[in-house]
Amino acid sequence: MPLITSKMPDSWEELEEIVADILREAGMESNRTVSVKLPRGSVDIDVLAKETSDGIHNVVICECKNWKHNIPKEIVHAFRTVMHEIGANRGYIISRVGFQSGAYEAAEATNINLVTFQEFQELYFAKWYKARLWQVERRIGNFNTYYEPLGRPGFDLLETDEERDAYVEVWNVYAFAGVLMMYFSPWTGMAGQELLPPPLPIPVEKLEAEGYPVPDFIRNETGYQELLAMLEEIAIEGLDELRKVNPITRGRDPETIDRDEYPPND
């Protein structure tokens, strides 16, 4: 099973932050260090996430332990009390290395999962991946239209060689991102196919053989979270630059642009 991130947290703060980010990117409302009032007093929850699916509300809480030794049963006992008093649907104790045998016994027949950081990522990968692809698509969808087989939007409306050369120059700069984003199209799942992530590091040999060099930081990345974040930012920048040379979109407010390949009056 692939992992979401290539990072290994250096501290408990970083572990909490990454876990909260994963749940947020998976489509949940997620927050760190949440103070919750309980009958016995207030308690700080490392990560608390909520979502509503088909009218059903779910609450997930996470205890993040970046310890260099296995987690004992006492941590599970305390967590069980918090789970009960909060009424959470699912709880995760996330460990850097693992758990003592007594901890597993204490978690039996409960709604608590004892997982390593790697196992947590494996559990949430499919949910995270699908949600994250749609988040990226919504932000950069029109960027993809510039690299679809139908042709470059607005190119046939250009009147001079200088304008056409300027367009092609910008298009070539971002061509590697346009091609690589095809690996991460969420529309694949709409066609009834399973959303399968490409292997990482992502294969770029064919792309570079066609004359489109790929930056080393993209070529060498082994984390899906990191790679998608970088491609998203490149695509957002590329869309802005491409719109400056596309006669359909240049000079227009981005908020007024629906699809980049149609003139305003169409």
Side-chain angles (χ1 to χ4, degrees):
M1 175 66 69
L3 299 181
I4 295 171
T5 178
S6 59
K7 293 180 180 177
M8 175 55 73
D10 292 325
S11 65
W12 61 267
E13 295 98 336
E14 189 175 5
L15 177 58
E16 288 181 11
E17 184 175 349
I18 294 175
V19 168
D21 284 345
I22 288 173
L23 294 176
R24 186 178 304 111
E25 290 176 353
M28 305 181 75
E29 177 189 340
S30 175
N31 293 284
R32 283 185 59 207
T33 317
V34 179
S35 181
V36 178
K37 290 184 178 181
L38 302 177
R40 60 187 177 87
S42 296
V43 63
D44 288 336
I45 305 299
D46 291 347
V47 178
L48 187 149
K50 302 177 181 179
E51 69 176 343
T52 302
S53 178
D54 297 327
I56 299 174
H57 301 285
N58 292 309
V59 177
V60 173
I61 65 173
C62 302
E63 181 88 0
C64 301
K65 298 296 185 186
N66 200 46
W67 298 356
K68 295 182 180 179
H69 57 269
N70 291 340
I71 307 302
K73 62 183 179 182
E74 288 77 13
I75 297 297
V76 180
H77 289 153
F79 193 65
R80 285 174 61 176
T81 301
V82 173
M83 285 281 295
H84 175 73
E85 293 184 357
I86 288 180
N89 303 92
R90 176 62 56 185
Y92 296 94
I93 300 179
I94 303 169
S95 169
R96 179 185 180 92
V97 291
F99 300 84
Q100 296 179 10
S101 59
Y104 287 107
E105 294 172 1
E108 287 181 359
T110 72
N111 53 350
I112 297 173
N113 286 49
L114 306 184
V115 292
T116 63
F117 180 51
Q118 176 175 325
E119 290 168 340
F120 175 78
Q121 293 182 65
E122 292 172 347
L123 281 172
Y124 270 87
F125 185 87
K127 179 180 177 67
W128 173 87
Y129 190 66
K130 180 179 180 180
R132 188 71 180 102
L133 293 194
W134 279 112
Q135 290 165 10
V136 174
E137 175 70 17
R138 284 191 288 269
R139 290 197 71 195
I140 62 96
N142 274 356
F143 174 77
N144 294 330
T145 66
Y146 286 89
Y147 297 95
E148 292 173 348
L150 294 177
R152 301 162 181 161
F155 189 80
D156 59 337
L157 300 178
L158 296 171
E159 298 179 349
T160 69
D161 288 341
E162 289 77 10
E163 288 181 320
R164 285 185 281 271
D165 289 344
Y167 191 127
V168 170
E169 182 178 358
V170 175
W171 190 93
N172 285 339
V173 168
Y174 296 98
F176 78 91
V179 174
L180 293 182
M181 285 307 305
M182 295 178 187
Y183 285 100
F184 300 103
S185 172
W187 296 103
T188 303
M190 298 291 288
Q193 302 179 42
E194 187 178 357
L195 281 174
L196 296 176
L200 296 186
I202 198 164
V204 298
E205 292 78 12
K206 183 178 179 180
L207 182 58
E208 293 199 314
E210 294 175 355
Y212 303 111
V214 179
D216 286 342
F217 61 86
I218 296 291
R219 170 203 299 276
N220 299 325
E221 183 54 62
T222 58
Y224 291 95
Q225 187 179 52
E226 293 81 3
L227 180 61
L228 280 170
M230 290 188 289
L231 287 174
E232 180 180 23
E233 292 308 311
I234 291 169
I236 290 171
E237 175 187 294
L239 180 60
D240 182 60
E241 294 301 314
L242 286 161
R243 282 176 167 173
K244 292 176 183 177
V245 295
N246 179 354
I248 297 172
T249 58
R250 62 189 174 194
R252 291 177 58 193
D253 182 347
E255 296 296 325
T256 68
I257 301 172
D258 182 22
R259 296 288 288 176
D260 289 39
E261 70 267 39
Y262 303 131
N265 294 327
D266 283 9

